[in-house]
Amino acid sequence: MSRHSQVRSASRLQERLDSLNTARELAAGVLADAQLEAVYDVLDRAASRRSLSTGHTVVGFFGATGSGKSSLFNAVSGSNLATAAARRPTTSAPLAAVWGEEGSGPLLDWLDVRDRHALPEVADFAGGEAGLILLDLPDIDSTTVENRQLVERLAGMVDVLVWVLDPQKYADAAVHHGFLRPMATHGAVTLVVLNQMDKLNAADGNAVVDSLRGILEQDGLAGVPVFGTSAVTGDGVAAVRGAIRNVVVQREAATQRLSADVARAASGLAEVSGDGEAHGVSSQAKAHLVAELATAANVPLVVHAVERSFKRQSARRTGWPVTRWLLRFRPDPLRRLNLGRDDAKPELNRTSLPPAGAPGRARTDAAVRAFVDDASAGAPGPWRAAIRGVARDGREQLPDALDQAIAGTDLKASRRPLWWALFNAFQWLALLLAVGGLAWLGVMAALGYFQLPIPEVPRTEGWPWPTLMVAGGVLFGVVLALGGRMLGAGAARVRAKGASRRLRAAVGLVAEEHIVEPVEVEITRLEAFNAALKAARGG
């Protein structure tokens, strides 16, 4: 493979690793820690392998007891290393045959393979510029726990996996279910060898190979090369060498192996996460949530108090001065709720609204639940739980936040319309007119009482002016009071509507901060997770 192709493959692998890491970070707190830890292990192994020799391809020979794995290892490597190593006391240690010793040390250290042997070049197989490391490993069905753990560890680290089976146990469930099937994503770096074919005649050998291919297809490894060999006679060994040689020359095995690891880890995340996207926040669901929260937060009660308070203040400013003082004995509806105070600090003030009872809390819970159910519809189970979780956390903060929002809303209670001053001035003029008339009549009565001459009083249509002044002043004051009451009622409704809009806007901001935004963040996180997972899987 050309250098340009290798660079391009490495670049694609890096993009997939980055996407997998992004998916892992996004899933923190949503998916199980064990699954995320497994993904981290894949990323860590990938980073370690890519930092080591890219000029070496590590090929591991895996097989069960009696498969002839070590004999095949010797036949392929052209040595008797495995036989010699088998006579050592520590038979559980892996054995490495190395071609191209330069640069192999750190790689073998990472693999934790201590028994290393540099071998001479084997024609048409190993040597020259292409580095190769063959590993002979303990049996995968070893009764020693340490041996099995070692095999499982190296199965997750080598670049190419060579599975050595024998005609008698090639369908062993322990091998297929425990190793081959979980590695279905690694078909590009997997070779399967059916060894000891010298024990079968030609017809039986072909039948066994066909049967093995069928089982591998069920394992998800359709198309994986299957070689029939005999370490005793040497039949098929050249074909295995050729397959390994092709992999080494291409120098893509490590990248392909890591790509398969990424795909497997991404598939594992997808399996525990589930498929699907959340419906998202709709304007209708958001409006319904705000409306329900406004009702639960006693916004209608506050709006009614705004209207009544304005009517009261209007009557005090425009009513007949003789009787308006009586309104002082009627409490202001807004002040009773600790609202509408000019000196109140919104960040510190609290209302005197009645606390939400069981019905109010149930209404709030139902509104939040309905909103979350609508927004999270279609999301996988763990993500729906995460969305519900952030909404539940926000729900706990709603009562205090709503009360503070209402307390901090400008209800325009201190704003005085200009027509109040105009009506008030006319009321005082009407009162002065009536008082002047009364004074005039009083003077005339006093003069008559003391038998003094009474001046002629001007008349209009026969009505004396003092009487007209009293009657006109009183009548004008009553008309002004009635007109002010009617105008005040209309203005009170307008002010109440404005207060309702501002209060609902304040409730909307609270809902946005504590419910809507956290839910949208989780939904966005799910979208980003799915996109990263798709990229990691090579989609």
Side-chain angles (χ1 to χ4, degrees):
M1 178 171 287
S2 68
R3 175 65 179 172
H4 179 71
S5 297
Q6 293 175 4
V7 172
R8 187 169 61 249
S9 297
S11 177
R12 284 199 301 267
L13 173 60
Q14 184 60 53
E15 291 174 357
R16 294 179 64 187
L17 287 168
D18 292 340
S19 296
L20 181 63
N21 187 51
T22 298
R24 180 188 67 86
E25 292 175 345
L26 290 169
V30 177
L31 302 183
D33 291 341
Q35 187 64 43
L36 299 181
E37 188 66 26
V39 173
Y40 180 81
D41 290 342
V42 170
L43 295 170
D44 184 58
R45 287 200 305 269
S48 298
R49 180 62 183 95
R50 299 183 79 198
S51 68
L52 299 169
S53 174
T54 57
H56 286 82
T57 302
V58 182
V59 180
F61 279 65
F62 300 84
T65 304
S67 63
K69 168 179 55 63
S70 296
S71 298
L72 182 64
F73 174 88
N74 285 338
V76 171
S77 64
S79 69
N80 289 318
L81 290 177
T83 302
R87 288 195 294 266
R88 295 179 183 177
T90 56
T91 56
S92 62
L95 168 71
V98 182
W99 289 268
E101 191 173 7
E102 184 179 357
S104 65
L107 179 56
L108 288 168
D109 290 341
W110 175 65
L111 294 169
D112 196 22
V113 176
R114 304 302 175 190
D115 195 356
R116 314 167 185 181
H117 301 268
L119 297 183
E121 179 176 348
V122 177
D124 298 327
F125 174 56
E129 296 181 357
L132 171 62
I133 299 174
L134 295 186
L135 297 182
D136 182 37
L137 303 170
D139 298 332
I140 60 178
D141 57 350
S142 173
T143 56
T144 304
V145 175
E146 291 77 6
N147 286 0
R148 183 176 178 86
Q149 291 176 341
L150 185 150
V151 171
E152 291 175 347
R153 177 178 65 82
L154 288 175
M157 300 175 73
V158 300
D159 301 328
V160 180
L161 302 102
V162 178
W163 297 98
V164 182
L165 309 177
D166 68 88
Q168 296 176 339
K169 295 191 296 184
Y170 70 91
D172 187 359
V175 175
H176 289 273
H177 294 170
F179 290 92
L180 289 171
R181 186 164 295 179
M183 303 291 286
T185 55
H186 294 64
V189 291
T190 298
L191 303 176
V192 177
V193 178
L194 188 61
N195 195 24
Q196 301 178 3
M197 292 293 286
D198 55 292
K199 296 181 179 180
L200 303 174
N201 56 44
D204 291 341
N206 292 332
V208 171
V209 170
D210 291 340
S211 175
L212 175 58
R213 286 196 176 99
I215 297 173
L216 291 173
E217 185 174 353
Q218 295 175 8
D219 292 336
L221 291 168
V224 168
V226 178
F227 300 92
T229 65
S230 172
V232 175
T233 64
D235 291 341
V237 173
V240 175
R241 281 181 173 178
I244 295 175
R245 172 66 178 173
N246 289 338
V247 171
V248 173
V249 170
Q250 291 179 7
R251 295 190 177 182
E252 279 287 283
T255 299
Q256 290 175 336
R257 166 60 202 250
L258 294 177
S259 296
D261 288 344
V262 171
R264 183 184 180 188
S267 296
L269 280 183
E271 183 177 350
V272 298
S273 169
D275 297 325
E277 296 282 358
H279 173 263
V281 175
S282 66
S283 57
Q284 295 87 346
K286 186 176 176 180
H288 178 72
L289 173 66
V290 172
E292 291 296 300
L293 292 182
T295 300
N298 290 309
V299 167
L301 177 63
V302 176
V303 171
H304 185 55
V306 169
E307 183 175 359
R308 290 168 54 211
S309 176
F310 186 87
K311 287 180 180 180
R312 176 181 176 277
Q313 292 183 59
S314 181
R316 286 186 59 192
R317 300 299 191 282
T318 65
W320 196 27
V322 176
T323 59
R324 68 170 63 170
W325 63 274
L326 295 172
L327 293 173
R328 293 180 179 272
F329 297 101
R330 295 171 57 185
D332 187 311
L334 278 180
R335 295 298 176 89
R336 293 182 65 182
L337 299 177
N338 199 28
L339 295 170
R341 300 174 61 91
D342 297 335
D343 58 345
K345 295 182 179 180
E347 66 276 9
L348 300 177
N349 194 29
R350 290 294 185 271
T351 73
S352 296
L353 289 166
R361 291 193 298 270
R363 185 166 192 162
T364 300
D365 292 342
V368 172
R369 186 167 55 251
F371 173 80
V372 172
D373 287 346
D374 179 78
S376 63
W383 293 92
R384 285 176 67 91
I387 295 171
R388 290 193 184 103
V390 297
R392 184 169 54 251
D393 293 341
R395 164 65 187 87
E396 297 299 322
Q397 304 169 19
L398 280 180
D400 187 65
L402 288 171
D403 188 78
Q404 188 172 356
I406 291 174
T409 301
D410 184 7
L411 300 176
K412 310 296 182 184
S414 61
R415 180 176 296 181
R416 300 179 179 181
L418 293 177
W419 63 270
W420 280 3
L422 183 62
F423 270 64
N424 188 50
F426 280 125
Q427 281 284 20
W428 283 106
L429 287 175
L431 181 61
L432 288 175
L433 182 63
V435 171
L438 287 173
W440 195 345
L441 289 173
V443 171
M444 290 174 61
L447 290 175
Y449 179 77
F450 290 105
Q451 300 296 309
L452 296 174
I454 300 174
E456 187 68 25
V457 177
R459 294 176 180 272
T460 299
E461 297 292 333
W463 291 90
W465 280 17
T467 303
L468 289 176
M469 289 173 63
V470 174
V474 173
L475 181 61
F476 188 38
V478 172
V479 171
L480 283 174
L482 292 175
R485 186 177 295 273
M486 294 176 61
L487 189 58
R493 286 192 293 271
V494 172
R495 178 160 290 192
K497 289 182 179 179
S500 178
R501 287 194 299 270
R502 289 188 292 275
L503 286 168
R504 291 179 184 276
V507 170
L509 291 177
V510 171
E512 190 78 25
E513 178 182 356
H514 294 282
I515 303 297
V516 178
E517 285 186 0
V519 166
E520 288 180 329
V521 167
E522 291 303 303
I523 291 174
T524 301
R525 183 154 71 124
L526 171 58
E527 293 173 353
F529 171 81
N530 284 336
L533 207 57
K534 182 179 180 181
R537 299 172 78 174

